[in-house]
Amino acid sequence: GAVVSQHPSRVICKSGTSVKIECRSLDFQATTMFWYRQFPKQSLMLMATSNEGSKATYEQGVEKDKFLINHASLTLSTLTVTSAHPEDSSFYICSAAQGTSSNQPQHFGDGTRLSIL
Amino acid sequence: AQSVTQPDIHITVSEGASLELRCNYSYGATPYLFWYVQSPGQGLQLLLKYFSGDTLVQGIKGFEAEFKRSQSSFNLRKPSVHWSDAAEYFCAVGGYQKVTFGTGTKLQVIP
């Protein structure tokens, strides 16, 4: 149980392109979804927290207009990297929390490797 | 502020040997603690979690971890490592809204 699917797994595109990444909870309802960015050989950096039906909460230093997050349903959140540039190349991972208790672990997708040429 | 320290960046063990990965945390209240594993190019998989109760927690793939409040530690152990355990391991502290990850320990398993 608690499976999170992330799509696509890999994206290669030209500078200036906008890229959309989907995160789905397959067998549970995710009240909250999280988006992380992972730089090579580093830990995960939380970018934003999204709650279904409301605006995402962004971490300090993360550009809201650059990284658009939509959480339209309890099973789907999307991250759109707008006008992507080479410095946006990274590994992006989403996670979803089941329920609203503070002790619920986050369940992670397999990540998306984004490469901007 | 909550924080996690994983002092070992890289560990190498022989297949069949025992393993212990260290994790120290800082948290203002009773912590929720997690261990995740990440294979190359993939997302994170939850190995085990501690919320309360028995301080020795059993997880998947034969892993266990022990919560020691006096030492602010939550070390991960496995009695006999398999080659398939080679991966990066992340300790995390927090809960539903805010989870802080350590910088990870990369495990290499040699035959």
Side-chain angles (χ1 to χ4, degrees):
Chain A
V3 177
V4 175
S5 173
Q6 190 171 337
H7 179 80
S9 59
R10 186 175 180 89
V11 180
I12 302 173
C13 57
K14 295 181 179 180
S15 184
T17 306
S18 291
V19 179
K20 180 185 282 188
I21 303 170
E22 291 189 349
C23 181
R24 295 180 184 271
S25 57
L26 298 185
D27 52 1
F28 67 99
Q29 292 187 328
T31 308
T32 303
M33 288 187 170
F34 306 84
W35 288 95
Y36 294 85
R37 183 173 180 176
Q38 186 178 31
F39 292 98
K41 299 183 181 181
Q42 293 189 30
S43 188
L44 285 77
M45 181 191 78
L46 179 65
M47 298 174 65
T49 302
S50 74
N51 292 290
E52 184 265 337
S54 61
K55 290 184 178 180
T57 302
Y58 289 81
E59 296 297 302
Q60 191 173 10
V62 178
E63 298 178 59
K64 300 179 183 180
D65 296 331
K66 176 75 170 176
F67 300 100
L68 301 179
I69 291 172
N70 182 275
H71 192 164
S73 75
L74 285 172
T75 60
L76 174 64
S77 176
T78 60
L79 167 68
T80 301
V81 183
T82 62
S83 187
H85 289 93
E87 58 265 30
D88 298 323
S89 299
S90 192
F91 192 58
Y92 293 86
I93 306 177
C94 72
S95 71
Q98 199 171 359
T100 57
S101 297
S102 59
N103 61 2
Q104 291 292 328
Q106 295 178 25
H107 301 282
F108 287 82
D110 282 340
T112 297
R113 173 74 59 192
L114 177 60
S115 300
I116 308 299
L117 305 178
Chain B
Q2 61 195 48
S3 65
V4 179
T5 301
Q6 291 181 249
D8 304 306
I9 297 173
H10 191 274
I11 283 183
T12 300
V13 299
S14 298
E15 190 169 13
S18 63
L19 171 71
E20 183 169 29
L21 302 182
R22 296 185 289 166
C23 172
N24 292 96
Y25 68 88
S26 173
Y27 195 73
T30 300
Y32 301 128
L33 295 159
F34 311 87
W35 273 100
Y36 288 88
V37 60
Q38 183 180 34
S39 297
Q42 295 188 18
L44 278 72
Q45 181 182 24
L46 179 68
L47 285 176
L48 48 78
K49 58 184 185 287
Y50 171 79
F51 299 141
S52 64
D54 193 347
T55 56
L56 185 62
V57 181
Q58 301 297 321
I60 62 172
K61 303 184 180 185
F63 286 93
E64 66 177 27
E66 186 170 12
F67 169 58
K68 293 185 178 180
R69 185 186 297 275
S70 61
Q71 299 177 19
S72 296
S73 70
F74 188 57
N75 294 348
L76 182 71
R77 301 194 295 247
K78 186 168 185 177
S80 177
V81 170
H82 188 263
W83 64 266
S84 60
D85 293 324
E88 188 143 22
Y89 292 80
F90 292 93
C91 180
V93 65
Y96 167 66
Q97 285 293 347
K98 184 75 173 181
V99 173
T100 300
F101 288 85
T103 51
T105 298
K106 190 167 185 177
L107 173 65
Q108 182 180 6
V109 180
I110 54 177

